[in-house]
Amino acid sequence: RPAPQTRADRTPALPDGSFPAALAVPAPVSPPADTPPVAESQDSPPSRPSPAPCPINIAPSMAMSSIPLYLLSDDLRMLPISSQQEIGSRGRAGSRLPSLSKNFRPLRLIPYDDRFPALVLSPDGILYPLPEGSAPDLSSDHPALRALAGGILLQDPILGEPEACIVCLSAAGKVRRVSLSSIKRISPEGCRLVTPDDSDHLVSACLCTETSEILLLSKAGRGLRLAADGLSTVSTPGSGLSAGIKLHPGDQAAICVPYTAPSGVLLISQNGMALRLAPSFRVLSHGRGTSGTSIFSLPENDQLIAALPPCDTVLLLNSRGKTLCIPTSSIRAVSSAAKGVAAMGLSAGQHLLSAV
């Protein structure tokens, strides 16, 4: 997948020629006079505007090799790791990153490009700005970094566009699409985007537009496709959530992603199972408040943790700090609900934490 657009290319100006303060573009820095010009690639493909979320809970839209990777620990340290990982075979146990100390307890992988702005959405619905170049150097008591521990990182070229929206999904299956057009500046202390119920919290979010269809996924592997007109957009931050996917007893909502058929979405479970949707896999559109259809047949002791866009490779992280990078072509593509195949071998007591 292509590298992201430059920030100036993708950040829209206001009618008076200025930029929104929350996403303001700094003045360009001219190179020294003796600096030779850098040749531009003549065969670079156009950038992909649509985001693709990866719980829990990140929304990357660019290829793994084109965006820096960080490993977040449970004490909120961000360790840079190479995004160029050796390709292994599906079903292997992987290997522990040599840079990890014995007391480093991994939380999840984070694709984060510090050249561009990003947002962090906390489980209680507060939106925080993440300025360029700041995340790896933030102190552990910074509001945005604290929110990142259990929240959602939102970074995509669409973030600076006037039609940008955020779709939020709660554990109870409730959903809301909020336009970012009315948010001109976000305080470092954050601003409220949505208001979940007292007994509820956000589990996923994705960047999209008002015309994007949305796929809601539950931990048990059920999916509900919402048409663009089936999920209205609100422009006032702080709104409550409305009915999204109807959950079966014991199930919880897990992921929301923009949906374009044929999707080719890659699904990963906590027990290391993987499923790739073939172009012929049809997820029918249903209205809000319905239970959708079964997509990933998971046992009761397993749950969905990641939904990734079509890509060449996927990097997996388990609870022991071991990683495994595998080609997605080794994961069987299915046209109907299935159990999937083993993506990473896990020992007793181990589980997957993240996939990017």
Side-chain angles (χ1 to χ4, degrees), residues 18-29:
S18 64
F19 288 89
L23 303 171
V25 178
V29 179

Side-chain angles (χ1 to χ4, degrees), residues 233-305:
T233 303
V234 299
S235 58
T236 304
S239 302
L241 306 178
S242 57
I245 182 171
K246 182 180 179 181
L247 300 169
H248 290 181
D251 196 6
Q252 286 187 353
I255 305 164
C256 62
V257 294
Y259 181 84
T260 303
S263 66
V265 171
L266 176 65
L267 305 178
I268 308 290
S269 82
Q270 183 175 263
N271 288 353
M273 303 300 289
L275 186 71
R276 187 160 53 95
L277 304 189
S280 57
F281 196 113
R282 296 189 62 188
V283 182
L284 299 178
S285 178
H286 296 276
R288 290 188 300 107
T290 57
S291 59
T293 184
S294 177
I295 297 178
F296 201 170
S297 300
L298 296 172
E300 291 185 358
N301 65 342
D302 200 2
Q303 64 183 35
L304 183 69
I305 66 161

Side-chain angles (χ1 to χ4, degrees), residues 81-335:
I81 64 173
S82 173
S83 57
Q84 300 287 347
Q85 298 287 328
E86 181 180 352
I87 306 298
S89 300
R90 180 179 62 79
R92 297 289 181 88
S95 58
R96 187 172 172 86
L97 293 170
S99 56
L100 294 188
S101 60
K102 291 184 178 180
N103 62 349
F104 189 97
R105 294 183 295 275
L107 191 61
R108 68 173 188 263
L109 292 166
I110 296 181
Y112 170 68
D113 194 331
D114 61 7
R115 298 172 300 169
F116 304 105
L119 299 172
V120 178
L121 183 61
S122 70
D124 59 353
I126 305 297
L127 193 64
Y128 298 92
L130 200 58
E132 300 94 309
S134 65
D137 301 320
L138 293 179
S139 61
S140 59
D141 60 348
H142 192 281
L145 193 57
R146 289 202 311 268
L148 188 57
I152 304 105
L153 175 66
L154 298 162
Q155 187 176 40
D156 189 272
I158 201 175
L159 183 58
E161 299 179 5
E163 67 271 21
C165 299
I166 297 179
V167 171
C168 307
L169 177 66
S170 76
K174 295 186 176 183
V175 67
R176 175 63 72 191
R177 188 192 324 240
V178 184
S179 172
L180 292 178
S181 60
S182 61
I183 303 177
K184 300 305 180 184
R185 185 180 183 278
I186 304 174
S187 164
E189 289 73 33
C191 69
R192 181 162 293 282
L193 183 70
V194 294
T195 307
D197 295 339
D198 292 340
S199 59
D200 201 5
H201 64 278
L202 300 182
V203 293
S204 183
C206 63
L207 287 161
C208 63
T209 68
E210 294 185 6
T211 59
S212 300
E213 293 193 351
I214 302 297
L215 180 63
L216 308 181
L217 296 161
S218 78
K219 288 185 176 182
R222 297 191 67 83
L224 174 64
R225 175 183 172 187
L226 297 178
D229 58 0
L231 182 59
S232 59
T233 303
V234 299
S235 58
T236 304
S239 302
L241 306 178
S242 57
I245 182 171
K246 182 180 179 181
L247 300 169
H248 290 181
D251 196 6
Q252 286 187 353
I255 305 164
C256 62
V257 294
Y259 181 84
T260 303
S263 66
V265 171
L266 176 65
L267 305 178
I268 308 290
S269 82
Q270 183 175 263
N271 288 353
M273 303 300 289
L275 186 71
R276 187 160 53 95
L277 304 189
S280 57
F281 196 113
R282 296 189 62 188
V283 182
L284 299 178
S285 178
H286 296 276
R288 290 188 300 107
T290 57
S291 59
T293 184
S294 177
I295 297 178
F296 201 170
S297 300
L298 296 172
E300 291 185 358
N301 65 342
D302 200 2
Q303 64 183 35
L304 183 69
I305 66 161
L308 305 177
C311 50
D312 294 329
T313 59
V314 57
L315 180 62
L316 308 169
L317 169 72
N318 74 12
S319 53
R320 295 293 299 274
K322 291 185 176 182
T323 60
L324 177 67
C325 186
I326 61 173
T328 55
S329 59
S330 65
I331 300 171
R332 182 168 60 99
V334 300
S335 55

